Amino acid sequence: MTPAVDLLAGAAPSPPLTIPATLTEEVPHAPGRREYMRGSATTEEGALKVAINGSQGSNRLATFSGANCLVIIPANASDLPAGATVEILPLDNDGHPLHR
């Protein structure tokens, strides 16, 4: 709701909060299109890790039930190996993916 109030008040919208995280598994990706994959972020040994939640097809809405973030896959990225750093967009209301 805050972005809408800011916009109505004439303020420039602030960019969405993104947080770096480490992939726990390989993510196949063909370059050419930016993608947002449903994921689950957790802290392990003090580091933020993220796993992709199952099939990412548009008909697989059940994967949202366990998701607490969206994993941003850049358009120019090829397959991403486990251990790669990606940016995530938290889905929780407080803006932090670890409070679930």
Side-chain angles (χ1 to χ4, degrees):
M1 179 139 143
T2 301
V5 172
D6 289 344
L7 189 60
L8 290 171
S14 56
L17 171 68
T18 59
I19 303 170
T22 303
L23 286 172
T24 61
E25 61 197 88
E26 179 182 4
V27 176
H29 184 260
R33 186 175 78 171
R34 185 176 201 179
E35 292 192 45
Y36 296 85
M37 296 184 169
R38 299 171 288 275
S40 294
T42 58
T43 51
E44 296 176 19
E45 300 172 7
L48 186 60
K49 307 277 183 155
V50 66
I52 302 300
N53 286 10
S55 174
Q56 296 293 305
S58 62
N59 63 329
R60 303 290 184 180
L61 297 179
T63 58
F64 267 115
S65 68
N68 63 4
C69 67
L70 293 176
V71 180
I72 302 170
I73 309 297
N76 62 350
S78 296
D79 295 347
L80 298 171
T85 300
V86 292
E87 293 291 318
I88 63 171
L89 285 165
L91 294 177
D92 287 352
N93 289 334
D94 63 4
H96 199 286
L98 306 178
H99 293 196
R100 187 170 266 215

